[in-house]
Amino acid sequence: MTRVGKYHLALIGVAALLLLMSLVRVVTGQDDITSSGTFSAALVLAVPIALAGLGGLWAERAGVVNIGLEGMMVLGTWFAGWAGYQWGPVAALVAGMLGGALGGLLHAIATVTFGVDHIISGVAINLLGPGVTRFLSEVLYREGSAASQAGGAITTSPPISGRPWEPSLPILSDGPDLLGKLESTHWFLLSDVAGILRGLTHNVNVLVLPAVLLLPITVYVLWHTAFGLRLRSVGENPWAAESLGVNVYRVKYIAVMISGAFAGLGGVFLVFFSTKYVEGQTAGRGFIGLAAMIFGNWRPGGLAVGAGLFGYADALRLRSSNSGAVTSLLLVGAVLLLAYLVMQARKLMSSDLDARNARQYTVMAFAALGMVGLFWLWLTVDRLPSELVFITPHVLTLLVLLVASQRLRMPKADGVIYRRGEQH
């Protein structure tokens, strides 16, 4: 399939999804499914996840598995809070990225220079990040210190000086709110599209713009520059890249430090939106970002879709006054599984008998069971327990990874220990 054909297929998929969400809204009466408030919150919640996933993308495209994104985000949040309350939001931005890059440097030293297993090193970073930040908080925010008197404590920093979270895009925010009026009509499809567009454009925080722009910048650098070609070649076959004169060690170091800086930037966003550092505020977003990257098949476009999906689930949980809107996702999931079964059945009918295998039938059987189970739950459960509503984004993460694992293609040398001149 050509690139143009893929874009057309993606547009058709988006249109079909919009139609499905509008139908579910009408059937269930849950306006939060496509409300501007939900999508505005989803955009904000997706930013840290996307930045963490983007960091993982840079590292793994260079052949270094980075499951230490969570620890690097923690470092980014602490350094952003520490610098932000003293010198303002710009200092917080720089310090947070440097803190994440420091975690990336430690990961690169362990994996690239000393050949430590990438998974072990990543786990160590995830343990080291919270431990180091807690130690620094106890030292710098101890009772009686200047930071403590300014509102800091062992588990939180003083508020950031200045207000970096208030400015918005004037062109999209000022003037008559036509999209808001159309959304309030609750017309089929039209009000849903208006709500989604308003949520993604009305009062958009300027801090979101750099994160959105980093996606096309990453596409350009990795797929349209000589440096990006060298980086991706290192992730596919470092010994072949070495034979062409590429300094594999240097490229890996650069990629992993950029990875840490992006994860730290995700932590900076969390600090900006909460106005200060709070211990544990990453809440596993580094791991969800890693899952979004895998869902996106190690590509920025798929990563953006995955981050948006997880951000939307979290926003729907936070925005809904009851669990009805979250419960309506069960119906959405059942219909999507039905569409998946129809497509797989068409593929089987058009293929030769010899090409069919038991694995395809097994996957279809589980998908059918899942569809029936979700539809039954939607019919019988009026309100989900609060505990299940809280873990909805994490359950969605697992389900998406199960579906996405059917088509993944990671870089060939991802996780391979490289030694110059010692090809495996």
Side-chain angles (χ1 to χ4, degrees):
M1 183 181 294
T2 64
R3 181 174 297 182
V4 175
K6 290 181 179 179
Y7 287 151
H8 288 168
L9 186 61
L11 290 175
I12 293 173
V14 170
L17 184 60
L18 285 174
L19 182 62
L20 172 61
M21 294 178 71
S22 183
L23 284 171
V24 170
R25 179 188 64 81
V26 172
V27 171
T28 61
Q30 298 293 334
D31 294 332
D32 276 334
I33 294 176
T34 58
S35 70
S36 57
T38 297
F39 276 85
S40 179
L43 183 62
V44 171
L45 292 168
V47 166
I49 295 173
L51 286 171
L54 204 58
L57 175 70
W58 275 81
E60 301 210 9
R61 277 293 176 178
V64 180
V65 175
N66 189 1
I67 67 168
L69 295 169
E70 178 74 8
M72 297 173 193
M73 283 190 77
V74 171
L75 290 172
T77 57
W78 190 90
F79 280 99
W82 171 74
Y85 93 89
Q86 299 181 87
W87 302 297
V90 175
L93 183 67
V94 174
M97 293 185 68
L98 289 177
L102 177 61
L105 176 62
L106 293 175
H107 189 49
I109 292 173
T111 57
V112 179
T113 301
F114 292 102
V116 175
D117 183 89
H118 297 191
I119 303 299
I120 294 176
S121 176
V123 171
I125 296 294
N126 287 333
L127 296 175
L128 188 64
V132 168
T133 55
R134 182 59 180 265
F135 170 77
L136 292 174
S137 293
E138 290 183 351
V139 171
L140 298 176
Y141 298 150
R142 63 184 181 276
E143 186 175 354
S145 64
S148 175
Q149 295 172 4
I154 293 178
T155 58
T156 182
S157 72
I160 296 177
S161 58
R163 301 187 65 83
W165 48 89
E166 280 189 343
S168 59
L169 294 177
I171 297 177
L172 298 176
S173 302
D174 296 342
D177 190 8
L178 299 179
L179 291 175
K181 294 179 180 178
L182 185 57
E183 179 189 3
S184 63
T185 62
H186 301 297
W187 291 340
F188 174 73
L189 192 59
L190 289 178
S191 63
D192 299 291
V193 173
I196 294 172
L197 291 177
R198 186 173 186 270
L200 298 179
T201 59
H202 190 77
N203 288 334
V204 175
N205 194 290
V206 294
L207 299 175
V208 174
L209 295 180
V212 175
L213 291 176
L214 283 174
L215 290 169
I217 289 173
T218 294
V219 172
Y220 175 77
V221 172
L222 293 186
W223 276 270
H224 297 90
T225 65
F227 170 75
L229 178 61
R230 288 194 292 268
L231 188 147
R232 288 186 294 114
S233 68
V234 166
E236 295 292 336
N237 191 330
W239 293 278
E242 172 195 319
S243 68
L244 296 175
V246 177
N247 189 328
V248 176
Y249 289 123
R250 182 172 62 188
V251 171
K252 284 179 177 287
Y253 261 87
I254 293 173
V256 179
M257 290 184 67
I258 291 175
S259 172
F262 280 151
L265 182 59
V268 173
F269 272 70
L270 294 175
V271 172
F272 278 178
F273 289 122
S274 62
T275 73
K276 60 183 177 180
Y277 159 76
V278 179
E279 187 176 76
Q281 68 190 138
T282 56
R285 287 181 175 86
F287 298 113
I288 298 179
L290 184 65
M293 181 206 65
I294 296 172
F295 165 79
N297 208 11
W298 288 265
R299 289 184 173 274
L303 161 65
V305 174
L309 177 63
F310 301 139
Y312 173 77
D314 209 9
L316 195 62
R317 174 182 65 84
L318 294 173
R319 287 277 305 175
S320 300
S321 57
N322 53 59
S323 63
V326 178
T327 306
S328 64
L329 287 180
L330 300 174
L331 179 59
V332 175
V335 176
L336 290 177
L337 285 176
L338 176 60
Y340 172 78
L341 285 171
V342 171
M343 290 188 295
Q344 292 300 313
R346 291 185 60 183
K347 288 182 180 179
L348 285 177
M349 293 176 63
S350 61
S351 62
D352 298 331
L353 290 176
D354 296 336
R356 304 175 186 178
N357 54 57
R359 182 174 177 274
Q360 290 176 301
Y361 290 110
T362 302
V363 172
M364 291 181 64
F366 278 108
L369 288 174
M371 178 194 68
V372 173
L374 290 177
F375 188 71
W376 177 79
L377 285 173
W378 175 72
L379 286 176
T380 57
V381 177
D382 294 329
R383 185 184 295 268
L384 289 174
S386 58
E387 295 81 6
L388 293 181
V389 174
F390 181 78
I391 66 171
T392 296
H394 305 287
V395 173
L396 185 61
T397 300
L398 293 175
L399 293 176
V400 166
L401 284 179
L402 288 174
V403 175
S405 63
Q406 307 299 317
R407 58 171 183 82
L408 297 181
R409 192 272 181 194
M410 64 189 298
K412 290 183 179 179
D414 196 15
V416 174
I417 304 298
Y418 166 78
R419 284 291 175 266
R420 183 177 290 131
E422 299 179 1
Q423 183 168 2
H424 291 189

